[in-house]
Structure formats: structure tokens, C-alpha cells
Amino acid sequence: MVRLAKYMQNLALMLGNEASVHFKELRPGSTQLVTSIDFEDQPKVAEQLQKLKVGEAAIEVVRASNAIDELLAEDNAVGFVYEDDNEDAKVIAFPGVTRPRPVVYGPFKQEGSLDGVLVSVSGADETVHLQLQNGNIKYTGIVTNRDNARRLAKHMYEPMRIFGVGRWMRGDDATWQLKSFRVDSFDVLDNSDLSVAVDKLRSEKGSEWKLMEDPLAALKALRDKDGGLH
């Protein structure tokens, strides 16, 4: 029932016009959700499905459609929406289990670093688990030994850069996902305002920063070089 409810909820979101779209019956055999649509709003539902078909639907409609396709894939099935009891008149098709599997790469191990604010240190055995928060991103799966953990714990809620070996996977959307990271060492970062840091650089004897017209823009250019990877 819970699984069926997920299908029904997403189908309702996909069809929209909730006041005029009604559940009619569940037919036996292959699961068939039968709906009825008030006559005056049938053109609205048809228009919404057509927009979905050509890639012009609202984001919430697309998400509902994708959720149905994901459910079908998990249930080793395919599906479609048809009208007027005519299975040949398919309006929307869900490839489900037949859709191409996403290509992923990895996992790869690579030495590197992560920046963030230390928000958690926990663990009762020799392996201690950490969490770093960097804006809206929370890094989990970070581990270290007890010696490092004791030193790290003194800097809770402070910005830092941890160094070690990460285990990464690259998804079909070309984004990298961190699976795990073992910390070897760390640096506590200066939490000063960027403009204050730049002023310090410009005050150093022989510094070329004082000659720059817009040092903040220069720092941004350095950070954005090569896609921001360091």
C-alpha cells in the first residue's frame, strides 16, 4: 500500500489540476491506476502532459514524472499513460527498468584537501569520525586516528583545511562525490575577513599587492582559474 501510494501521489502531481482529477479504480493484473478527469479540465491536463512530453513542463511536474520512472526501475517494470482505455494511445512512456544505466567512474583514491568548519568529532574505537560544513555542503565519511582527533577537537566550529586521501566517484552528471576521506594532517584557517587579509598582504614590505588596483578581483581570478580546482 505504501508503494502504491507513492505511485498515486506522483501521478497526481504529474497530472495536476487536483480539484478535477479523481482516482476511479485499481484494475487487476499489471497495476493500472484509472483516473477520471472533469470534462471542462480535460484540455488543461492534456496540455500539461504535452508540455511534459516536449520538455516544457514545470519543474515539479518533471520531478513527479522522474519519480514514477525511478519507482518503476526499482520494481523491475516499465509503464505508460494512455487514454480512453486504448493502450495503443500512449501519451507518456516510462522506460523504467529498460532505461540506460548511468555511467559512473571510480571509486578513485587521490591525495588532496577539504576546507570547512569542523562540526562533529565522534567515535568510541580507534577510528574517529568527523564532519565538515562548507556552506550548504556537509562532508561526511571522514575518519582519522585518536591522536589527530584530540588535536582537531580543540578547534570545533573553526574553519580548517584537512589533508589526506579521499575516495571519490564521478557520476553520469559529471559531478564528483566524496565516499570517504582519511585525515593525515590539518591546518586551522584564518577566519579574518578577506579584505582584512588583503590589507595585511598590501602592508608587507616589497609586496606587489599594493600595486594592484583591485586585489579582491585578482584573488577571485586566481581562485576561479582552471575551474576552481587546486
Side-chain angles (χ1 to χ4, degrees):
M1 290 178 65
V2 172
R3 193 68 170 178
L4 179 61
K6 290 180 180 180
Y7 278 104
M8 294 180 69
Q9 181 183 28
N10 285 293
L11 179 61
L13 291 170
M14 192 182 80
L15 296 176
N17 303 279
E18 60 182 37
S20 56
V21 177
H22 315 280
F23 172 68
K24 184 178 180 180
E25 62 179 336
L26 181 65
R27 291 182 180 172
S30 298
T31 304
Q32 298 183 54
L33 294 170
V34 183
T35 61
S36 63
I37 304 169
D38 294 344
F39 178 78
E40 63 273 16
D41 284 333
Q42 288 179 11
K44 294 179 182 178
V45 175
E47 181 184 9
Q48 178 145 305
L49 291 177
Q50 179 60 25
K51 286 184 177 180
L52 177 62
K53 197 171 183 178
V54 299
E56 297 177 357
I59 185 63
E60 61 270 17
V61 177
V62 175
R63 284 174 179 166
S65 174
N66 290 342
I68 292 174
D69 196 48
E70 186 65 33
L71 287 167
L72 288 166
E74 292 172 358
D75 291 337
N76 200 35
V78 298
F80 53 88
V81 175
Y82 62 90
E83 58 182 337
D84 297 331
D85 291 329
N86 181 4
E87 294 190 17
D88 292 327
K90 296 179 182 179
V91 181
I92 300 291
F94 299 102
V97 70
T98 64
R99 67 186 182 185
R101 293 185 178 274
V103 179
V104 296
Y105 302 92
F108 300 105
K109 287 187 176 180
Q110 183 176 357
E111 291 187 359
S113 63
L114 297 174
D115 291 357
V117 174
L118 182 65
V119 295
S120 176
V121 179
S122 63
D125 54 20
E126 291 299 319
T127 300
V128 182
H129 299 265
L130 316 173
Q131 291 186 13
L132 286 185
Q133 185 82 36
N134 189 336
N136 294 325
I137 302 173
K138 180 177 283 187
Y139 294 113
T140 59
I142 304 172
V143 297
T144 192
N145 56 44
R146 284 187 171 184
D147 289 338
N148 278 336
R150 277 192 288 267
R151 294 187 293 114
L152 280 159
K154 298 176 182 178
H155 302 285
M156 284 289 291
Y157 307 114
E158 294 183 30
M160 63 178 55
R161 177 171 293 145
I162 58 175
F163 301 90
V165 178
R167 187 167 172 264
W168 300 83
M169 291 194 71
R170 184 176 183 270
D172 61 323
D173 59 355
T175 60
W176 289 93
Q177 294 182 336
L178 179 65
K179 308 304 290 184
S180 63
F181 194 94
R182 176 166 289 278
V183 181
D184 296 326
S185 61
F186 70 94
D187 286 337
V188 178
L189 301 178
D190 188 353
N191 200 24
S192 301
D193 183 85
L194 182 58
S195 60
V196 174
V198 170
D199 287 341
K200 288 182 180 179
L201 288 171
R202 300 185 81 177
S203 65
E204 292 292 328
K205 185 177 180 180
S207 172
E208 295 183 0
W209 287 93
K210 66 179 66 176
L211 304 176
M212 293 184 183
E213 186 174 333
D214 191 348
L216 292 178
L219 279 174
K220 184 178 185 303
L222 285 172
R223 184 172 184 176
D224 292 343
K225 184 179 180 182
D226 299 326
L229 298 175
H230 304 286

